[in-house]
Structure formats: C-alpha cells, structure tokens
Amino acid sequence: MTDLIDDDVEFERLANSVLWPGFLGRTVPAWLDAALRRGLAGVVYFAQNIGPDLDALSAAIRAAGPQALIGIDEEGGSVTRLEAATGSTLPGAAQLGALDDVFATAATGAELARRVRAVGADVVLGPVADVNTDPRNPVIGVRSFGADADLVSRHVVAAVEGIQAGGVAACVKHYPGHGDTHVDSHHDLPRIGVDPAEIERVHLAPFRAAVAAGVDAVMTAHIVVPAWGEEPATLNPRVLGMLRDAGFDGVIITDALDMAAIRESVGIGGGAVRALAAGADLLCIGNPTNPGAAALPDQDEHDYRTARDAIVAALRDGSLSRDRVVEAGARVARLAAKLAAPAPGDTADAASYDGTGIVRRALHVQGELTTAGAPFVVDARRSSTLAVDSAAGYVSEALAGGEATVRIDTARLDEVQRGAAVDAAVAQARGRRIALLVDRIDTDPVQRAVVAEVAARAADVVAVNVGLPAEGVGVPVIEVGSASRIGAELARERLVGAGR
C-alpha cells in the first residue's frame, strides 16, 4: 500500500510538471496554490486575470512555484490580453507584414517582451507563424504576417529575435500551419487536404526559420493532415516527430486542450495523455471562461484535475511511459531555468518605441477620401470568436471618437431585416459621411452587400476594413489590417484630416 501511495505522489508530481492551466480571477485560487507547491509547470494568463496588480499576482504565483512559467496570449493587433479592456496599442502581424520592415517587427517584439516582463510573465504565445493561404480562414486572417512563405518567415524570425532578446520566451504557432483552413479548431476539427509537398514548401517554412533562429517553444495545431494520419497534429507522433527531426529541441506546447477539436473528441484527459505520448512537453489546458454561460464555478480546477488525473492513471497502468513524461518535464524545467536567469538589459525603450508610427505607415487607402470631418460609424463586422475579439466595442468607439455608433449584425439578419437596419442607420447619420466598419469584405458576400446597400442610400461612404485587404469594393477603403484601438484611432485620424 505504501508503494502505491508513493507511486501516486510521484505520478502527480510528474503530471504537474507538464501542465499549464488557466484559472479564474485575479488572485491565486487555493487549488492552484497547492498545485504550484507540488510542481505545477505554471499558468497561462487570459483576459479575466488582467488587472492593475498583475505584477503582484505573478509574484504570488512564483512564491508558490518559484520556477513557474507564466504565459500570455499576447500577439498585438487583434489579439491582446494585457489591453483586453481597451484594445491593443501594438501593431498586429498583418500590419507588420504589409509594411514589410523587419526592423519594425523586431522592435515590436522587443516592446512586447518589455510589457510582458513588466507584469511578471515570461512566455509570449506568439508570433503566429501560419501562412494565411486561405482567405476564408476564420481563426488566423490578420493574425498572420501574410500569404507568402518567405515574407512570413522573415517576420517570424524578426519577432522571435525581438521577443527573446528581452529575456522572454517566444512560442511560434500553430505547427504544422493553420493557414490553409476555413474551419476554426475552437469549434471543430479542421482537415488540411493540400499536397504534403505544398505543406513542406509553404507552411513549414516559417517554423523551420524560427527553429534556426533559436525559438524557445513551438505550439501545435489541432488540425488533421490526412496524408500524415487521422490524428490532429497535437496528438500525432509523426507530425511532432517531424518537428524534432527538423532540429528543434525546445518545448513543444499544445494548443489549448479545452478547444472543441480535442474536448469534443477525445476529451481533455484523453488529449493530455495522447499529446504527451505523441511528443508534446507542456499541455496548455485552456481558458476556463471559454464555455461561457455553461462554465462551472470551478471550471478551472475541474479542467486541471481532469488532465492531471488522466495522466496519473495512464502512468499507473503503464499506458503512458514514465520516461516520456520525465523527458517532457525536463524540457519545461530547462526553459524555466533559462528564463529565471538574470534578465538582460532592456533592448526595448518604451519612450523610443513608436508603435503608432508603425501602424500609421502600414495604413493604406484605396480610392480617394474627398472630404474631411468626423464620421458617423456603422459597425457591420462579424461576431467575435474565442480566438479573436473581432467585434470588440473599443474599435468602433475609437473610430467614432466616443460618439454613438450603430451595429448591424449581418450574420443574424435576413435580407429584409438587413435592409431595414441599413435604412435606419443611414437615417440616423443625418447626411454625415458614414464610416462603415467591416472585416470580411474580401470573402463575405453578405458584408459586401451591406457596403453596396449603404452606398446606394448615402452620398458619402468610406469602408474602414480591419480584416484582409479587398478589391473592387465600390467605395473608398481605409485598409487598417487589425481590429485594434490604435488602428481605429489612426483610421479616424485619416478621416478627420482627409486631405493630408
């Protein structure tokens, strides 16, 4: 009996060494404190954890677990946790790719590292290394540097070098590439049917470049490449073995195990065991607020225990190799030791970094803005997703300068309802120029129809596009390339001073 108890204590320690949960609240819950004291690898911050005392929260986490890795899903542009309430003030990947200035990208990475270190975190879940070859992509889009492998590769390297020069680990994502899909793995399991030779040539290129640049971590994708097996990459030993064969000896981190592609197939527990067996090292459990209204009051602890107990059970019955988990935990510990070393001198100076200037340079106007003045804003963007807060209110508010805005939710209205909503919005504008805020006019016929309907009813219409660039829209377009506060503020700047 004593031997069994001793084994379970060791198995729990091993399981903890590879688990990376999210949690609820802005203080350390009792379950998390206990897990950290029993060797938990660390935590991932999400929007619900962000408050004015985030550095104190980080200190409390490290008081319980001195080697804890603290990650944050902070990309800049459309995806932010640190500025979730107000919108990002950093350029996004699509803006940096459009500008194609690797020095601006490296400087942005260094500034991102400075901000993350300032709150006590030490792992950035970025940059995105996906080559966005499918414009319908619902989950990547402007989070990618672009659709060209060479462009994405050079900016991924610049971002990694900028981040890691600041004493923070970069984690490129989503291996082997989430750019050629039109399914969101938060909701379903995408299948990539392109030729493996094309995946090798296009989608793996930025990851190879990041590995050559010394990236600390790589995040897996919950996508199936049938030519490489029917398991999603996160659970596929062949795919993760390809990453090791490419020379990567850093930490392989899973995308969140609470995403539907895993939760609704093999489950969080089954996903945890199979990901480890496939070669993953650190298991990102996910954001406990993702179930929304269906979330349990203790969803964070529930998900953590589900993963931990499944690993312990698999170690106990021998279906998961102890040596494999020891190896994974050792990689995680090496990264934690590296990041715990004295930090280098800051390579980013907040006073000298000009993110506003970078975004302003990236802004592009198609057509001619013939009039100046404050616009009336009509927001026709798609709804937010678990990955991207596409319809964030701070974007329309910043574009409107704090004035009232009108929302037309194209996905929830039929053609008659949409026409009535357009009529009402144009009437409310009272002859002012309308800034129509859009994000899918490149591929969504309904959103393009709204542009045409507004243009037919109003004399002066400008589309402000925070999605991928579009051609033949029929009205002037300010291509912003990011659903961020800074992007919206600078689009307003162009509208107010249109002749400049």
Side-chain angles (χ1 to χ4, degrees):
M1 179 65 71
T2 301
D3 289 344
L4 287 176
I5 293 172
D6 288 345
D7 283 347
D8 279 355
V9 169
E10 183 197 8
F11 293 158
E12 181 180 342
R13 179 187 61 77
L14 285 172
N16 277 338
S17 74
V18 297
L19 289 176
W20 215 30
F23 64 99
L24 298 170
R26 296 180 178 179
T27 58
V28 181
W31 71 265
L32 179 57
D33 184 87
L36 287 163
R37 295 179 189 281
R38 295 188 183 111
L40 186 68
V43 301
V44 182
Y45 284 154
F46 293 98
Q48 73 269 7
N49 308 123
I50 308 304
D53 298 321
L54 189 55
D55 57 340
L57 175 58
S58 299
I61 288 168
R62 293 228 169 80
Q67 295 295 305
L69 293 172
I70 301 178
I72 188 163
D73 201 3
E74 188 71 19
E75 298 173 13
S78 298
V79 177
T80 179
R81 302 293 180 256
L82 292 176
E83 299 180 286
T86 57
S88 180
T89 55
L90 287 176
Q95 293 168 326
L96 292 165
L99 189 59
D100 198 11
D101 176 349
V102 292
F103 297 103
T105 299
T108 299
E111 171 62 12
L112 176 54
R114 187 195 65 78
R115 295 184 184 191
V116 166
R117 280 182 50 210
V119 299
D122 53 11
V123 181
V124 171
L125 296 180
V128 169
D130 304 312
V131 183
N132 196 70
T133 53
D134 189 336
R136 299 169 299 169
N137 201 318
V139 68
I140 305 300
V142 295
R143 298 169 64 197
S144 168
F145 290 108
D148 177 79
D150 289 340
L151 177 132
V152 173
S153 295
R154 62 178 171 266
H155 285 277
V156 164
V157 168
V160 166
E161 290 176 345
I163 291 167
Q164 294 190 175
V168 171
C171 175
V172 294
K173 58 190 184 185
H174 307 80
Y175 186 84
H178 211 309
D180 199 328
T181 177
H182 57 276
V183 173
D184 184 347
S185 52
H186 290 81
H187 302 291
D188 207 344
L189 182 58
R191 297 175 66 85
I192 309 299
V194 301
D195 189 321
E198 182 179 343
I199 299 177
E200 289 272 359
R201 179 177 57 84
V202 176
H203 298 283
L204 292 182
F207 294 97
R208 287 195 296 265
V211 169
V215 70
D216 284 322
V218 176
M219 176 172 280
T220 65
H222 304 327
I223 59 172
V224 172
V225 180
W228 295 335
E230 287 299 316
E231 296 171 297
T234 298
L235 312 181
N236 190 324
R238 178 175 178 181
V239 176
L240 301 191
M242 289 164 51
L243 182 54
R244 294 298 184 204
D245 291 343
F248 180 64
D249 193 38
V251 177
I252 297 179
I253 302 176
T254 69
D255 207 346
L257 298 178
D258 69 343
M259 293 162 61
I262 301 297
R263 182 193 285 272
E264 302 302 323
S265 57
V266 298
I268 289 177
V273 172
R274 291 176 61 178
L276 284 167
D281 302 307
L282 184 58
L283 310 181
C284 177
I285 296 176
N287 185 349
T289 68
N290 281 346
L296 301 170
D298 63 345
Q299 190 71 50
D300 50 358
E301 182 178 7
H302 177 271
D303 289 349
Y304 156 72
R305 286 183 178 275
T306 298
R308 184 199 67 187
D309 292 351
I311 295 169
V312 168
L315 287 167
R316 187 188 301 124
D317 67 19
S319 58
L320 177 63
S321 162
R322 178 185 179 280
D323 289 346
R324 167 79 271 273
V325 184
V326 169
E327 174 193 42
R331 281 203 182 94
V332 174
R334 283 200 300 271
L335 178 58
K338 172 186 173 181
L339 296 175
D346 278 336
T347 58
D349 179 355
S352 64
Y353 175 71
D354 185 13
T356 299
I358 292 171
V359 176
R360 185 180 287 117
R361 289 166 56 204
L363 224 63
H364 171 65
V365 179
Q366 291 192 52
E368 187 177 357
L369 301 179
T370 56
T371 59
F376 180 80
V377 175
V378 177
D379 185 353
R381 292 173 295 163
R382 58 186 165 157
S383 299
S384 297
T385 69
L386 292 176
V388 183
D389 198 3
S390 309
Y394 50 70
V395 178
S396 55
E397 290 165 7
L399 184 61
E403 296 183 26
T405 64
V406 171
R407 170 86 169 131
I408 298 177
D409 192 339
T410 57
R412 290 187 168 87
L413 302 178
D414 61 28
E415 188 173 351
V416 173
Q417 292 169 326
R418 191 178 72 229
V422 169
D423 286 338
V426 171
Q428 194 169 337
R430 300 180 184 274
R432 291 171 59 186
R433 176 175 50 188
I434 293 177
L436 187 59
L437 185 57
V438 292
D439 63 352
R440 280 308 246 189
I441 50 172
D442 56 327
T443 59
D444 184 353
V446 175
Q447 206 169 90
R448 286 186 82 102
V450 169
V451 176
E453 290 166 8
V454 173
R457 291 164 170 80
D460 192 357
V461 179
V462 176
V464 178
N465 182 21
V466 297
L468 296 174
E471 300 290 337
V473 178
V475 299
V477 182
I478 301 178
E479 297 286 4
V480 180
S482 170
S484 63
R485 175 159 58 97
I486 186 62
E489 288 174 347
L490 293 176
R492 178 179 174 82
E493 177 184 272
R494 292 298 299 269
L495 288 166
V496 171
R500 298 181 302 175

